[in-house]
Amino acid sequence: MLTARAGLPRRLLAELIGTALLVTSVVGSGIMAARLSPDDVGLQLLQNSTATVLALTVLILVFGPVSGAHFNPVVTAVDWWLHRGGSLGGVAAYAAAQTVGAVAGALLANAMFGVPAAVSGRVREGANLWLGETVATAGLVLLIFALVRTGRAALAAPAVGAYIGAAYWFTSSTSFANPAVTIGRTFTDTFAGIAPASVAPFIAAQVIGAFIGAGLVVALYPAPVSQPVAASDLR
């Protein structure tokens, strides 16, 4: 994911807005799906995943040239580790902007659909779900940085959208694969929500998945085919 060398404030704004709109699409489409298909959970998931795929693809196209369109702390952290593209302070700033954006996005979706602001009571726990999050995150990291290291970053928007859409269905956890989004989704007691008690294990699984994905990137693509601009250029 190539990025213009925009100033850090502008990149943080892009990450905040992009992550907010991503979570709005996840939560909002989940609410709409539950209302349109109240008795068919499979159809709800299809509606929710389709909206997320389309929204994520568009958001990467819009915000990618500004910030790299990470919208995800583990993507930012792995990008820094692989490319040494800036300071740890910049990584932390990206993660903070992404998390604030995710919370704002959930609250915006609640407001648009007239859902009372509430902490989610939807418990998501179990080793099978944590394994699903590990697999989903590892695959996401491998995909993104395989594209970057082989000079095909322009394909990130459709490829990442397609992967997340597929992972909704082939992982037991429905592929959160994102610590900021996981935190944001605690602020909606709807179809897409997650209870606060379920957050820490999900994030732990995502971090493990990020390490696995990064290791696979280094093993499979030890050096870039052509040196890209570091997506997190956080200096």
Side-chain angles (χ1 to χ4, degrees):
M1 289 184 294
L2 305 184
T3 179
R5 294 180 180 275
L8 183 58
R10 186 151 63 95
R11 282 179 274 142
L12 295 180
L13 179 61
E15 286 295 300
L16 189 151
I17 296 173
T19 310
L21 293 176
L22 172 59
V23 174
T24 297
S25 70
V26 172
V27 173
S29 62
I31 296 170
M32 181 67 83
R35 292 181 179 179
L36 293 176
S37 310
D39 301 317
D40 191 333
V41 177
L43 186 54
Q44 290 174 15
L45 186 62
L46 177 61
Q47 294 160 339
N48 187 211
S49 61
T50 300
T52 301
V53 167
L54 297 174
L56 180 56
T57 300
V58 170
L59 291 170
I60 292 172
L61 290 172
V62 171
F63 295 104
V66 180
S67 67
H70 296 183
F71 312 146
N72 188 333
V74 298
V75 172
T76 301
V78 171
D79 186 51
W80 172 84
W81 181 71
L82 288 176
H83 302 128
R84 295 298 189 268
S87 68
L88 282 175
V91 173
Y94 256 47
Q98 292 155 354
T99 303
V100 170
V103 173
L107 296 177
L108 175 59
N110 289 342
M112 286 198 297
F113 285 91
V115 174
V119 173
S120 178
R122 191 179 182 90
V123 175
R124 301 175 188 260
E125 62 182 14
N128 62 316
L129 299 187
W130 304 332
L131 178 60
E133 278 302 284
T134 301
V135 171
T137 310
L140 177 63
V141 168
L142 176 59
L143 168 63
I144 290 171
F145 295 102
L147 293 176
V148 170
R149 290 205 159 198
T150 56
R152 297 175 295 159
L155 297 175
V160 172
Y163 175 80
I164 292 297
Y168 257 85
W169 291 91
F170 75 71
T171 65
S172 54
S173 63
T174 67
S175 184
F176 285 51
N178 185 326
V181 168
T182 303
I183 292 169
R185 288 169 64 170
T186 65
F187 289 87
T188 182
D189 194 15
T190 62
F191 178 81
I194 179 172
S198 301
V199 168
F202 261 54
I203 292 178
Q206 291 157 3
V207 170
I208 292 170
F211 274 108
I212 294 171
L216 289 172
V217 170
V218 172
L220 295 170
Y221 307 97
V225 172
S226 59
Q227 186 63 43
V229 178
S232 62
D233 188 25
L234 298 175
R235 286 167 290 193

